[in-house]
Protein backbone atom coordinates (compact mmCIF):
# COMPACT_ATOMS: atom_id res chain seq x y z
CA UNK A 1 0.00 0.00 0.00
CA UNK A 2 1.53 3.29 -1.12
CA UNK A 3 0.24 6.70 -0.13
CA UNK A 4 1.48 10.01 -1.53
CA UNK A 5 0.78 13.28 0.22
CA UNK A 6 1.14 15.88 -2.49
CA UNK A 7 1.48 19.61 -2.82
CA UNK A 8 1.95 20.55 0.82
CA UNK A 9 4.61 22.39 2.79
CA UNK A 10 6.59 19.81 4.71
CA UNK A 11 7.62 21.30 8.04
CA UNK A 12 10.31 19.71 10.19
CA UNK A 13 12.13 21.18 13.18
CA UNK A 14 15.00 22.01 10.85
CA UNK A 15 13.11 23.79 8.10
CA UNK A 16 10.32 23.70 5.57
CA UNK A 17 10.04 22.78 1.89
CA UNK A 18 7.44 22.19 -0.79
CA UNK A 19 7.64 18.44 -1.17
CA UNK A 20 5.66 15.25 -1.60
CA UNK A 21 5.76 12.62 1.10
CA UNK A 22 5.72 8.99 0.02
CA UNK A 23 4.51 6.35 2.47
CA UNK A 24 4.95 2.64 1.84
CA UNK A 25 3.20 0.48 4.39
CA UNK A 26 3.94 1.91 7.81
CA UNK A 27 6.96 4.07 7.03
CA UNK A 28 7.93 7.16 5.09
CA UNK A 29 10.08 6.06 2.16
CA UNK A 30 10.70 9.35 0.39
CA UNK A 31 10.37 13.10 0.68
CA UNK A 32 10.68 14.28 -2.91
CA UNK A 33 10.32 17.19 -5.25
CA UNK A 34 6.62 17.69 -6.02
CA UNK A 35 5.34 15.35 -8.72
CA UNK A 36 8.47 13.21 -8.95
CA UNK A 37 6.77 10.00 -7.83
CA UNK A 38 3.22 9.55 -9.07
CA UNK A 39 2.34 5.89 -8.69
CA UNK A 40 0.24 5.37 -5.58
CA UNK A 41 -2.74 3.50 -4.17
CA UNK A 42 -3.93 6.57 -2.32
CA UNK A 43 -3.26 10.26 -2.84
CA UNK A 44 -3.82 12.94 -0.25
CA UNK A 45 -3.93 16.49 -1.56
CA UNK A 46 -2.17 18.82 0.87
CA UNK A 47 -2.10 21.91 -1.33
CA UNK A 48 -1.98 24.99 0.86
CA UNK A 49 -1.50 22.85 3.97
CA UNK A 50 1.35 21.95 6.29
CA UNK A 51 2.59 18.38 6.39
CA UNK A 52 4.08 17.82 9.83
CA UNK A 53 5.23 14.88 11.95
CA UNK A 54 2.48 13.59 14.23
CA UNK A 55 2.50 15.20 17.65
CA UNK A 56 4.02 13.47 20.66
CA UNK A 57 2.36 14.20 23.99
CA UNK A 58 4.92 13.04 26.52
CA UNK A 59 2.71 13.61 29.56
CA UNK A 60 -0.76 12.08 29.78
CA UNK A 61 -2.76 10.27 32.45
CA UNK A 62 -5.43 7.95 31.04
CA UNK A 63 -7.58 6.09 33.61
CA UNK A 64 -5.32 7.34 36.37
CA UNK A 65 -6.33 6.65 39.97
CA UNK A 66 -6.56 9.86 42.03
CA UNK A 67 -8.24 10.39 45.38
CA UNK A 68 -10.64 7.46 45.02
CA UNK A 69 -11.64 8.17 41.43
CA UNK A 70 -10.07 7.75 37.96
CA UNK A 71 -9.28 10.24 35.22
CA UNK A 72 -12.18 9.90 32.83
CA UNK A 73 -10.47 9.10 29.52
CA UNK A 74 -9.62 5.46 28.94
CA UNK A 75 -6.67 4.56 26.72
CA UNK A 76 -9.25 4.02 23.95
CA UNK A 77 -11.08 7.35 24.27
CA UNK A 78 -7.96 9.33 25.14
CA UNK A 79 -5.88 8.13 22.21
CA UNK A 80 -8.78 8.70 19.81
CA UNK A 81 -9.06 12.26 21.09
CA UNK A 82 -5.29 12.63 20.69
CA UNK A 83 -5.57 11.51 17.07
CA UNK A 84 -8.31 14.07 16.39
CA UNK A 85 -5.88 16.74 17.53
CA UNK A 86 -2.92 15.52 15.47
CA UNK A 87 -1.12 13.70 18.27
CA UNK A 88 0.00 10.24 17.17
CA UNK A 89 2.06 9.21 20.19
CA UNK A 90 1.36 9.53 23.87
CA UNK A 91 3.67 8.68 26.74
CA UNK A 92 1.52 7.90 29.75
CA UNK A 93 2.48 7.26 33.37
CA UNK A 94 2.31 3.88 35.06
CA UNK A 95 1.69 4.64 38.72
CA UNK A 96 3.31 2.49 41.40
CA UNK A 97 0.88 2.02 44.28
CA UNK A 98 2.66 1.85 47.62
CA UNK A 99 3.37 -1.74 48.61
CA UNK A 100 3.50 -2.95 45.01
CA UNK A 101 6.46 -3.48 42.68
CA UNK A 102 7.42 -1.50 39.60
CA UNK A 103 7.16 -4.54 37.35
CA UNK A 104 3.69 -5.50 38.54
CA UNK A 105 2.73 -1.85 37.99
CA UNK A 106 4.00 -2.04 34.44
CA UNK A 107 1.96 -5.22 33.87
CA UNK A 108 -1.10 -3.44 35.22
CA UNK A 109 -0.67 -0.53 32.81
CA UNK A 110 -0.06 -2.81 29.86
CA UNK A 111 -3.32 -4.55 30.72
CA UNK A 112 -5.13 -1.18 30.59
CA UNK A 113 -3.52 0.03 27.35
CA UNK A 114 -2.64 -2.95 25.20
CA UNK A 115 -5.22 -3.58 22.50
CA UNK A 116 -7.04 -0.35 23.29
CA UNK A 117 -4.97 2.50 21.87
CA UNK A 118 -5.75 4.19 18.56
CA UNK A 119 -2.21 5.59 18.29
CA UNK A 120 1.20 4.48 19.54
CA UNK A 121 2.03 4.80 23.19
CA UNK A 122 4.83 4.45 25.69
CA UNK A 123 5.11 4.61 29.45
CA UNK A 124 7.04 6.48 32.08
CA UNK A 125 7.11 4.94 35.56
CA UNK A 126 6.04 6.80 38.69
CA UNK A 127 8.05 5.68 41.69
CA UNK A 128 5.94 6.17 44.81
CA UNK A 129 8.07 4.09 47.12
CA UNK A 130 11.85 4.20 47.05
CA UNK A 131 13.30 1.03 48.55
CA UNK A 132 15.88 -1.57 47.57
CA UNK A 133 13.24 -3.44 45.58
CA UNK A 134 12.09 -0.56 43.41
CA UNK A 135 15.63 0.74 42.90
CA UNK A 136 16.66 -2.69 41.67
CA UNK A 137 13.61 -2.89 39.41
CA UNK A 138 14.60 0.25 37.53
CA UNK A 139 16.91 -1.91 35.41
CA UNK A 140 14.27 -4.38 34.17
CA UNK A 141 11.93 -1.44 33.54
CA UNK A 142 14.59 0.13 31.34
CA UNK A 143 15.08 -3.18 29.52
CA UNK A 144 11.33 -3.18 28.92
CA UNK A 145 11.53 0.25 27.25
CA UNK A 146 10.44 2.33 30.23
CA UNK A 147 13.45 4.44 31.15
CA UNK A 148 12.10 7.64 32.64
CA UNK A 149 11.09 7.65 36.29
CA UNK A 150 8.86 10.30 37.75
CA UNK A 151 9.04 11.36 41.37
CA UNK A 152 7.05 13.83 43.43
CA UNK A 153 8.20 16.53 45.82
CA UNK A 154 4.46 17.21 46.31
CA UNK A 155 1.58 15.15 47.75
CA UNK A 156 2.99 14.02 51.14
CA UNK A 157 1.56 10.66 52.14
CA UNK A 158 0.65 9.74 48.57
CA UNK A 159 3.41 10.09 45.99
CA UNK A 160 5.84 12.23 47.99
CA UNK A 161 9.51 11.29 48.08
CA UNK A 162 11.98 12.72 50.58
CA UNK A 163 15.19 14.34 49.38
CA UNK A 164 16.95 11.15 50.50
CA UNK A 165 14.63 9.00 48.39
CA UNK A 166 15.20 11.28 45.43
CA UNK A 167 18.96 11.14 45.89
CA UNK A 168 18.92 7.34 45.91
CA UNK A 169 16.78 7.10 42.80
CA UNK A 170 18.90 9.69 41.01
CA UNK A 171 22.05 7.76 41.79
CA UNK A 172 20.42 4.70 40.23
CA UNK A 173 19.35 6.78 37.21
CA UNK A 174 22.95 7.88 36.74
CA UNK A 175 24.15 4.27 36.89
CA UNK A 176 21.59 3.12 34.34
CA UNK A 177 21.57 6.12 31.99
CA UNK A 178 17.90 6.73 32.67
CA UNK A 179 16.07 9.99 33.38
CA UNK A 180 14.39 11.33 36.51
CA UNK A 181 11.26 13.37 35.91
CA UNK A 182 10.21 15.64 38.73
CA UNK A 183 6.96 17.12 39.94
CA UNK A 184 8.66 20.03 41.65
CA UNK A 185 6.49 21.69 44.27
CA UNK A 186 7.31 21.84 47.99
CA UNK A 187 4.49 19.61 49.21
CA UNK A 188 5.39 19.83 52.90
CA UNK A 189 5.04 23.61 52.92
CA UNK A 190 1.97 23.50 50.66
CA UNK A 191 0.17 21.12 53.02
CA UNK A 192 0.61 23.66 55.82
CA UNK A 193 -0.80 26.45 53.67
CA UNK A 194 -3.75 24.21 52.73
CA UNK A 195 -4.45 23.33 56.37
CA UNK A 196 -4.29 27.02 57.30
CA UNK A 197 -6.71 28.00 54.52
CA UNK A 198 -9.22 25.32 55.50
CA UNK A 199 -8.95 26.27 59.19
CA UNK A 200 -9.83 29.83 58.19
CA UNK A 201 -12.84 28.65 56.22
CA UNK A 202 -11.32 29.40 52.81
CA UNK A 203 -12.62 26.45 50.76
CA UNK A 204 -13.21 27.80 47.21
CA UNK A 205 -11.34 26.41 44.18
CA UNK A 206 -9.13 29.50 43.84
CA UNK A 207 -7.55 28.61 47.21
CA UNK A 208 -5.93 25.67 45.44
CA UNK A 209 -3.86 28.21 43.54
CA UNK A 210 -3.25 30.54 46.46
CA UNK A 211 -1.92 27.72 48.65
CA UNK A 212 0.56 26.58 46.01
CA UNK A 213 2.54 29.81 45.40
CA UNK A 214 5.12 29.97 42.60
CA UNK A 215 7.94 30.44 45.12
CA UNK A 216 7.38 26.87 46.30
CA UNK A 217 7.64 25.57 42.75
CA UNK A 218 10.83 27.56 42.29
CA UNK A 219 12.29 26.26 45.55
CA UNK A 220 11.52 22.63 44.74
CA UNK A 221 12.87 23.00 41.21
CA UNK A 222 16.14 24.43 42.57
CA UNK A 223 16.37 21.61 45.11
CA UNK A 224 15.75 18.95 42.46
CA UNK A 225 18.42 20.52 40.28
CA UNK A 226 20.89 20.51 43.20
CA UNK A 227 20.20 16.85 43.92
CA UNK A 228 20.58 16.00 40.23
CA UNK A 229 23.83 17.96 40.14
CA UNK A 230 25.23 16.02 43.08
CA UNK A 231 24.35 12.66 41.52
CA UNK A 232 24.90 13.47 37.85
CA UNK A 233 21.41 12.31 36.91
CA UNK A 234 19.60 13.81 33.93
CA UNK A 235 16.57 15.72 35.19
CA UNK A 236 13.34 16.61 33.41
CA UNK A 237 11.02 19.03 35.20
CA UNK A 238 7.42 18.23 34.29
CA UNK A 239 4.67 20.83 33.82
CA UNK A 240 6.74 23.89 34.70
CA UNK A 241 4.33 26.75 35.35
CA UNK A 242 6.20 29.56 37.11
CA UNK A 243 8.89 32.07 36.25
CA UNK A 244 10.66 31.14 39.50
CA UNK A 245 11.14 27.57 38.32
CA UNK A 246 12.13 28.63 34.82
CA UNK A 247 14.90 30.83 36.20
CA UNK A 248 16.32 27.85 38.11
CA UNK A 249 16.20 25.65 35.01
CA UNK A 250 17.85 28.31 32.85
CA UNK A 251 20.64 28.86 35.39
CA UNK A 252 21.37 25.12 35.55
CA UNK A 253 21.35 24.78 31.78
CA UNK A 254 23.79 27.66 31.51
CA UNK A 255 26.27 25.61 33.51
CA UNK A 256 25.85 22.68 31.13
CA UNK A 257 23.84 20.49 33.48
CA UNK A 258 21.47 17.94 31.93
CA UNK A 259 18.32 19.71 33.09
CA UNK A 260 15.27 19.98 30.88
CA UNK A 261 11.73 21.20 31.31
CA UNK A 262 8.33 21.07 29.73
CA UNK A 263 5.40 23.40 30.11
CA UNK A 264 1.75 22.86 29.19
CA UNK A 265 -0.76 24.86 27.12
CA UNK A 266 -2.84 25.69 30.20
CA UNK A 267 0.06 27.68 31.66
CA UNK A 268 0.46 29.56 28.38
CA UNK A 269 -3.21 30.45 27.93
CA UNK A 270 -5.07 30.23 31.23
CA UNK A 271 -4.50 31.92 34.57
CA UNK A 272 -5.49 31.97 38.22
CA UNK A 273 -8.35 34.27 37.17
CA UNK A 274 -10.01 31.20 35.66
CA UNK A 275 -9.83 29.46 39.03
CA UNK A 276 -11.51 32.46 40.63
CA UNK A 277 -14.61 32.22 38.40
CA UNK A 278 -17.91 32.45 40.31
CA UNK A 279 -19.38 29.51 42.19
CA UNK A 280 -17.62 26.20 41.74
CA UNK A 281 -16.66 26.91 38.10
CA UNK A 282 -13.00 27.36 39.08
CA UNK A 283 -12.75 23.65 39.89
CA UNK A 284 -12.52 22.98 36.16
CA UNK A 285 -9.07 24.57 36.25
CA UNK A 286 -7.70 22.84 39.33
CA UNK A 287 -4.44 21.09 38.49
CA UNK A 288 -1.00 21.01 40.07
CA UNK A 289 1.02 23.12 39.77
CA UNK A 290 -1.84 25.60 39.63
CA UNK A 291 -2.53 28.17 36.95
CA UNK A 292 -0.47 31.29 37.65
CA UNK A 293 -1.02 35.00 37.29
CA UNK A 294 -0.90 36.16 33.67
CA UNK A 295 2.51 37.81 34.00
CA UNK A 296 4.21 34.39 33.96
CA UNK A 297 3.04 33.67 30.43
CA UNK A 298 5.47 35.93 28.57
CA UNK A 299 8.35 34.28 30.42
CA UNK A 300 7.12 30.82 29.44
CA UNK A 301 6.89 31.80 25.78
CA UNK A 302 10.41 33.20 25.97
CA UNK A 303 11.57 29.95 27.58
CA UNK A 304 10.08 28.09 24.64
CA UNK A 305 12.10 30.24 22.26
CA UNK A 306 15.38 29.93 24.17
CA UNK A 307 14.92 26.16 24.74
CA UNK A 308 15.01 26.47 28.52
CA UNK A 309 11.59 24.94 27.93
CA UNK A 310 12.15 22.18 25.39
CA UNK A 311 8.80 20.41 25.25
CA UNK A 312 5.11 21.18 25.54
CA UNK A 313 3.00 18.34 26.91
CA UNK A 314 -0.55 18.48 28.21
CA UNK A 315 -0.58 16.67 31.57
CA UNK A 316 -3.96 15.50 30.24
CA UNK A 317 -5.83 14.21 33.28
CA UNK A 318 -9.57 14.79 32.80
CA UNK A 319 -12.12 14.66 35.58
CA UNK A 320 -15.78 15.35 34.86
CA UNK A 321 -17.16 18.51 36.39
CA UNK A 322 -20.57 17.05 37.25
CA UNK A 323 -19.59 13.98 39.23
CA UNK A 324 -15.83 14.10 39.88
CA UNK A 325 -14.68 17.69 40.40
CA UNK A 326 -17.70 18.05 42.69
CA UNK A 327 -15.94 15.85 45.27
CA UNK A 328 -14.29 19.10 46.37
CA UNK A 329 -17.43 21.22 46.51
CA UNK A 330 -16.88 22.15 50.16
CA UNK A 331 -13.13 21.67 50.29
CA UNK A 332 -10.82 22.69 47.44
CA UNK A 333 -8.20 20.19 48.62
CA UNK A 334 -10.56 17.35 47.64
CA UNK A 335 -11.02 18.51 44.03
CA UNK A 336 -9.39 15.90 41.77
CA UNK A 337 -6.27 17.53 40.29
CA UNK A 338 -6.15 17.60 36.53
CA UNK A 339 -7.45 19.10 33.31
CA UNK A 340 -8.29 17.76 29.86
CA UNK A 341 -6.07 18.82 26.98
CA UNK A 342 -4.68 16.02 24.84
CA UNK A 343 -6.88 16.93 21.88
CA UNK A 344 -5.94 20.60 21.61
CA UNK A 345 -2.21 20.83 22.22
CA UNK A 346 -1.21 21.15 18.56
CA UNK A 347 -3.95 23.71 17.85
CA UNK A 348 -3.17 25.79 20.94
CA UNK A 349 0.53 25.86 20.16
CA UNK A 350 -0.28 26.82 16.59
CA UNK A 351 -1.80 29.99 18.06
CA UNK A 352 1.74 30.75 19.22
CA UNK A 353 2.84 30.59 15.60
CA UNK A 354 -0.05 32.81 14.52
CA UNK A 355 0.80 35.32 17.27
CA UNK A 356 4.50 35.33 16.36
CA UNK A 357 5.64 33.83 19.68
CA UNK A 358 7.32 30.84 17.99
CA UNK A 359 8.23 29.89 14.44
CA UNK A 360 6.53 27.18 12.46
CA UNK A 361 9.60 24.98 12.83
CA UNK A 362 9.73 25.57 16.57
CA UNK A 363 6.07 24.50 16.80
CA UNK A 364 7.02 21.14 15.31
CA UNK A 365 10.14 20.90 17.44
CA UNK A 366 8.52 21.44 20.86
CA UNK A 367 5.46 19.32 20.09
CA UNK A 368 7.06 16.40 18.28
CA UNK A 369 10.76 16.38 17.42
CA UNK A 370 12.20 17.15 20.84
CA UNK A 371 9.85 14.85 22.77
CA UNK A 372 10.96 12.08 20.38
CA UNK A 373 14.62 12.74 21.09
CA UNK A 374 14.09 13.41 24.79
CA UNK A 375 12.39 10.06 25.30
CA UNK A 376 14.31 7.76 23.00
CA UNK A 377 12.13 7.70 19.89
CA UNK A 378 14.38 9.64 17.49
CA UNK A 379 14.50 8.22 13.99
CA UNK A 380 11.16 6.51 14.47
CA UNK A 381 9.05 9.49 15.54
CA UNK A 382 9.16 13.27 15.41
CA UNK A 383 10.30 13.83 11.82
CA UNK A 384 9.12 13.66 8.24
CA UNK A 385 12.04 11.74 6.78
CA UNK A 386 12.69 8.45 4.99
CA UNK A 387 12.78 5.58 7.45
CA UNK A 388 10.59 7.23 10.06
CA UNK A 389 7.20 5.86 11.01
CA UNK A 390 4.51 7.40 8.80
CA UNK A 391 2.90 9.40 11.59
CA UNK A 392 1.91 12.37 9.49
CA UNK A 393 -0.51 15.24 10.01
CA UNK A 394 -1.91 17.42 7.26
CA UNK A 395 -2.69 20.71 8.98
CA UNK A 396 -4.76 23.50 7.45
CA UNK A 397 -3.33 26.76 8.79
CA UNK A 398 -6.18 28.85 7.37
CA UNK A 399 -9.15 26.91 8.77
CA UNK A 400 -10.85 28.22 11.87
CA UNK A 401 -12.63 26.40 14.67
CA UNK A 402 -14.10 27.04 18.09
CA UNK A 403 -13.15 24.77 20.96
CA UNK A 404 -16.13 23.35 22.82
CA UNK A 405 -17.06 20.40 24.99
CA UNK A 406 -19.99 19.90 22.60
CA UNK A 407 -17.65 19.00 19.76
CA UNK A 408 -14.48 17.68 21.38
CA UNK A 409 -13.74 13.97 21.56
CA UNK A 410 -12.25 13.71 25.03
CA UNK A 411 -14.46 11.77 27.41
CA UNK A 412 -15.10 14.68 29.74
CA UNK A 413 -18.04 17.04 30.20
CA UNK A 414 -16.27 20.38 29.91
CA UNK A 415 -13.48 22.17 28.07
CA UNK A 416 -11.00 24.44 29.79
CA UNK A 417 -10.92 26.43 26.54
CA UNK A 418 -14.68 26.64 25.92
CA UNK A 419 -15.44 29.16 23.18
CA UNK A 420 -11.83 29.84 22.24
CA UNK A 421 -11.41 30.66 18.56
CA UNK A 422 -8.57 28.77 16.92
CA UNK A 423 -6.84 29.46 13.65
CA UNK A 424 -5.74 26.21 12.06
CA UNK A 425 -7.11 22.70 12.10
CA UNK A 426 -6.00 19.12 11.71
CA UNK A 427 -7.29 17.75 8.41
CA UNK A 428 -5.74 14.31 7.91
CA UNK A 429 -3.83 12.12 10.37
CA UNK A 430 -1.83 9.03 9.54
CA UNK A 431 -0.60 6.70 12.25
CA UNK A 432 2.07 4.34 10.92
CA UNK A 433 0.66 4.73 7.43
CA UNK A 434 -3.00 4.15 8.37
CA UNK A 435 -5.45 6.99 7.98
CA UNK A 436 -6.98 7.59 11.40
CA UNK A 437 -8.55 11.01 10.78
CA UNK A 438 -9.87 12.26 7.42
CA UNK A 439 -12.98 14.00 6.09
CA UNK A 440 -13.99 15.01 9.58
CA UNK A 441 -14.26 11.41 10.76
CA UNK A 442 -12.27 8.93 12.83
CA UNK A 443 -11.16 5.93 10.78
CA UNK A 444 -8.85 4.33 13.31
CA UNK A 445 -9.49 1.54 15.71
CA UNK A 446 -8.51 0.59 19.24
CA UNK A 447 -5.53 -1.74 19.12
CA UNK A 448 -3.91 -0.14 16.08
CA UNK A 449 -1.61 1.72 18.46
CA UNK A 450 1.49 -0.20 19.50
CA UNK A 451 3.56 -0.05 22.65
CA UNK A 452 6.82 1.79 22.03
CA UNK A 453 9.84 0.30 23.68
CA UNK A 454 11.89 3.44 24.07
CA UNK A 455 15.66 3.85 23.86
CA UNK A 456 17.54 5.96 26.40
CA UNK A 457 17.29 9.72 25.92
CA UNK A 458 18.89 11.02 22.76
CA UNK A 459 18.83 14.61 23.98
CA UNK A 460 21.49 14.67 26.71
CA UNK A 461 24.22 17.30 26.57
ZN1 LIG B 1 0.99 14.70 35.37
Amino acid sequence: MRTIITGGTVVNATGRAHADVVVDGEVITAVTAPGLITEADRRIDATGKYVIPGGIDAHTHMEMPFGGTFSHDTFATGTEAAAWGGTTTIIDFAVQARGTSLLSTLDKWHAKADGNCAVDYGFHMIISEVDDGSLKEMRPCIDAGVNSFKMFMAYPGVFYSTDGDILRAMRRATETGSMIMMHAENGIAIDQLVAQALAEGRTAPVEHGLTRPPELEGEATSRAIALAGVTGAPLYIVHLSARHALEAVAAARNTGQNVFAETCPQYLYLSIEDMAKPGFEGAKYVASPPLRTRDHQADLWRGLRTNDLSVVSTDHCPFCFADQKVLGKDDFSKIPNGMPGVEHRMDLLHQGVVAGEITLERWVEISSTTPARMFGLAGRKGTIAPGADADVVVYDPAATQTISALTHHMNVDYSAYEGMEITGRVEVVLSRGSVVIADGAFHGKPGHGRFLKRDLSQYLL
Side-chain angles (χ1 to χ4, degrees):
M1 176 81 181
R2 169 174 284 182
T3 303
I4 301 188
I5 303 165
T6 61
T9 301
V10 173
V11 185
N12 274 313
T14 48
R16 67 188 90 171
H18 286 287
D20 291 352
V21 177
V22 182
V23 173
D24 285 295
E26 297 195 344
V27 298
I28 296 167
T29 48
V31 181
T32 72
L36 198 65
I37 296 174
T38 54
E39 215 170 288
D41 305 298
R42 178 171 57 200
R43 304 174 69 81
I44 296 169
D45 181 8
T47 305
K49 318 281 163 64
Y50 301 144
V51 180
I52 60 172
I56 299 175
D57 192 338
H59 190 152
T60 67
H61 300 281
M62 307 304 174
E63 337 183 5
M64 192 196 81
F66 189 99
T69 187
F70 288 85
S71 61
H72 213 248
D73 263 315
T74 62
F75 279 91
T77 63
T79 54
E80 180 179 333
W84 274 101
T87 287
T88 52
T89 299
I90 64 162
I91 311 180
D92 205 273
F93 289 84
V95 186
Q96 180 195 23
R98 291 203 166 169
T100 67
S101 70
L102 297 187
L103 290 175
S104 68
T105 301
L106 194 52
D107 288 344
K108 217 186 285 176
W109 255 260
H110 273 300
K112 290 180 197 233
D114 295 357
N116 293 321
C117 291
V119 298
D120 290 351
Y121 61 99
F123 293 130
H124 311 288
M125 177 62 69
I126 288 177
I127 303 182
S128 308
E129 197 164 39
V130 175
D131 57 20
D132 291 346
S134 46
L135 291 173
K136 198 166 165 212
E137 280 188 313
M138 286 170 74
R139 170 63 71 192
C141 283
I142 294 163
D143 294 340
V146 177
N147 49 43
S148 34
F149 300 92
K150 183 179 175 190
M151 306 187 77
F152 288 79
M153 302 168 99
Y155 305 123
V158 189
F159 297 125
Y160 177 81
S161 286
T162 66
D163 290 356
D165 293 337
I166 291 167
L167 196 93
R168 291 182 76 194
M170 283 181 166
R171 213 183 276 146
R172 187 80 182 123
T174 306
E175 284 165 17
T176 53
S178 54
M179 175 99 79
I180 296 293
M181 308 172 81
M182 192 61 73
H183 180 131
E185 284 186 294
N186 184 328
I188 300 287
I190 286 167
D191 270 13
Q192 291 305 317
L193 293 174
V194 169
Q196 206 177 314
L198 292 174
E200 291 166 9
R202 293 186 276 123
T203 60
V206 70
E207 298 295 338
H208 173 81
L210 299 175
T211 55
R212 308 180 85 93
E215 289 81 359
L216 296 185
E217 185 186 347
E219 183 278 328
T221 303
S222 298
R223 186 153 39 95
I225 288 168
L227 294 168
V230 167
T231 55
L235 175 66
Y236 181 94
I237 304 292
V238 293
H239 47 47
L240 187 149
S241 72
R243 173 192 315 118
H244 308 61
L246 180 60
E247 283 167 1
V249 168
R253 290 177 56 78
N254 287 344
T255 70
Q257 196 178 337
N258 270 310
V259 172
F260 312 97
E262 68 178 13
T263 190
C264 309
Q266 54 269 35
Y267 303 121
L268 296 167
Y269 288 104
L270 303 174
S271 79
I272 195 161
E273 291 162 33
D274 292 294
M275 292 174 63
K277 283 181 178 171
F280 193 57
E281 188 74 7
K284 293 178 177 176
Y285 307 91
V286 166
S288 295
L291 302 178
R292 303 299 183 187
T293 50
R294 289 212 171 269
D295 54 299
H296 290 264
Q297 293 172 356
D299 295 284
L300 297 180
W301 282 112
R302 191 192 62 241
L304 286 171
R305 290 190 290 273
T306 61
N307 207 38
D308 290 322
L309 295 169
S310 311
V311 171
V312 177
S313 307
T314 59
D315 196 12
H316 176 78
C317 192
F319 293 102
C320 285
F321 185 64
D323 58 348
Q324 294 185 298
K325 288 287 188 179
V326 78
L327 293 170
K329 190 105 183 114
D330 305 312
D331 175 353
F332 69 88
S333 72
K334 296 199 166 60
I335 299 170
N337 281 207
M339 285 169 53
V342 73
E343 186 169 347
H344 295 119
R345 185 182 60 122
M346 301 299 286
D347 285 330
L348 288 165
L349 288 177
H350 184 253
Q351 305 320 292
V353 178
V354 173
E357 294 282 3
I358 51 172
T359 65
L360 200 50
E361 287 80 3
R362 187 65 180 156
W363 174 50
V364 169
E365 188 166 37
I366 59 180
S367 63
S368 179
T369 311
T370 299
R373 292 178 61 201
M374 187 73 73
F375 296 111
L377 297 169
R380 289 184 272 171
K381 305 291 189 192
T383 182
I384 300 286
D389 286 353
D391 292 358
V392 185
V393 173
V394 176
Y395 195 85
D396 182 351
T400 55
Q401 54 172 318
T402 305
I403 296 181
S404 173
L406 297 173
T407 48
H408 76 199
H409 303 87
M410 299 176 287
N411 189 27
V412 61
D413 62 357
Y414 75 96
S415 172
Y417 305 95
E418 187 67 40
M420 186 170 169
E421 309 268 350
I422 296 284
T423 301
R425 176 176 215 135
V426 168
E427 193 170 280
V428 181
V429 179
L430 270 64
S431 166
R432 277 183 292 104
S434 295
V435 171
V436 289
I437 300 291
D439 308 315
F442 176 68
H443 301 279
K445 60 174 195 304
H448 164 78
R450 279 192 205 140
F451 174 67
L452 297 165
K453 228 181 124 175
R454 295 182 292 109
D455 299 321
L456 294 178
S457 177
Q458 295 139 331
Y459 204 71
L460 303 188
L461 302 172

